[in-house]
Amino acid sequence: MTQNPASARAMTRRLRLTVATAVIGTACTTALGCQAPNSASARPEPPTIAASPAPPGTSESGSRPASPGHLSRPASSVPLAKPPRRERRTALGEADGAVPAGVTVFDDTVPGVANLDPALLRALRRAAADAADDGIRFYVNSGWRSPAYQNRLLREAVAKYGSEEEAARWVSTPATSQHVSGDAADIGRGDATAWLSEHGAAYGLCQVYRNEPWHYELRPGAIDGGCPRMYADPTQDPRTRG
C-alpha cells in the first residue's frame, strides 16, 4: 500500500518530537532531579514551615506581626486567666523613720535624723564633733519614727516577748513614744554610748532608761546639775502611761 507523503512526514515529526521529549526528560531527571512533565509526582508538595516560638514579651495570639518566613500561631479561643489580686500593703521605710546602717548624726537626708527635735540634734552634733577628737563616731540606730512605724515595732515586740506587758519594757505606744515626737535618739556603737555616759551631761544629753544604754534625750538642766535619775525601763516613766 502506497503511503501519502504528507502523512509520512507528519508521522516522522511526531516520532522525532517524542524522542526529543524523552531525551530531555531523561537529562533533566539525571542532572537536576526534576520530574517528567505531566507525571503524577511532577507537582512538588508545598514546603512545611514550622511555626516559630513567640518572641519574648509577645503573646502567641500574634500581638506582633510574624517575622517573614514564619507562620503565625492561631489565637487561642480560651482567654488567659488574670493573676489573683493581692492585697496591697504599704511598705514602711526611711520615710517612716527606718534608719539604714552607717547613718550618723550629721546625715540630714535621712528623715529619722532630720526630723529630730532641732535642739536635741544640735546637742548630739556638738557632742559628736568633740567625740571625733577621740576617734569616736556617733551612729544613729533609730531616731524620729512615724506612728505607723512605731506601731509596727510594738507589734513585733509583743510577738517577740510574748505579751504587751513585757513588750512595754522596750517599746512604747505611738501615743507615748519619745521617738514619734522626735525627742529621743538611739545611739550606736558601744564606744559612743560609753563616751556619752561619761560626757553627755555636759551637752544636756542623758540616758533615760537603765535597760536602754543607747536611748538618749535632751535634758538642758543636766549641763549644770547633771542628769536626773534613770527609770528602770519605759514602764516606770510617767510619760508612757498616757
Side-chain angles (χ1 to χ4, degrees), residues 165-190:
E165 291 75 14
E166 186 63 20
R169 296 184 60 244
W170 304 97
V171 183
S172 301
T173 67
T176 62
S177 172
Q178 300 303 304
H179 285 281
V180 172
S181 64
D183 293 314
D186 293 345
I187 302 299
R189 303 169 181 159

Side-chain angles (χ1 to χ4, degrees), residues 41-192:
S41 60
R43 296 180 182 177
E45 292 294 327
T48 301
I49 304 176
S52 63
T58 304
S59 67
E60 292 188 356
S61 61
S63 59
R64 292 183 186 175
S67 58
H70 293 81
L71 299 180
S72 300
R73 295 184 181 180
S76 172
S77 59
V78 180
L80 297 176
K82 294 182 178 181
R85 185 175 180 180
R86 297 180 179 179
E87 179 184 358
R88 296 183 64 183
R89 298 182 179 179
T90 303
L92 298 177
E94 287 188 32
D96 287 280
V99 178
V103 169
T104 73
V105 297
F106 298 103
D107 290 330
D108 286 325
T109 61
V110 179
V113 174
N115 291 344
L116 286 172
D117 174 74
L120 171 61
L121 189 54
R122 285 194 299 270
L124 285 169
R125 288 177 173 176
R126 286 197 301 268
D130 291 342
D133 294 337
D134 296 328
I136 295 171
R137 301 185 70 181
F138 283 17
Y139 294 97
V140 179
N141 293 333
S142 188
W144 167 85
R145 302 168 187 161
S146 71
Y149 187 45
Q150 183 70 25
N151 191 52
R152 189 179 79 176
L153 294 178
L154 180 58
R155 293 198 309 271
E156 291 174 352
V158 172
K160 179 179 179 180
Y161 296 109
S163 68
E164 293 183 0
E165 291 75 14
E166 186 63 20
R169 296 184 60 244
W170 304 97
V171 183
S172 301
T173 67
T176 62
S177 172
Q178 300 303 304
H179 285 281
V180 172
S181 64
D183 293 314
D186 293 345
I187 302 299
R189 303 169 181 159
D191 57 351

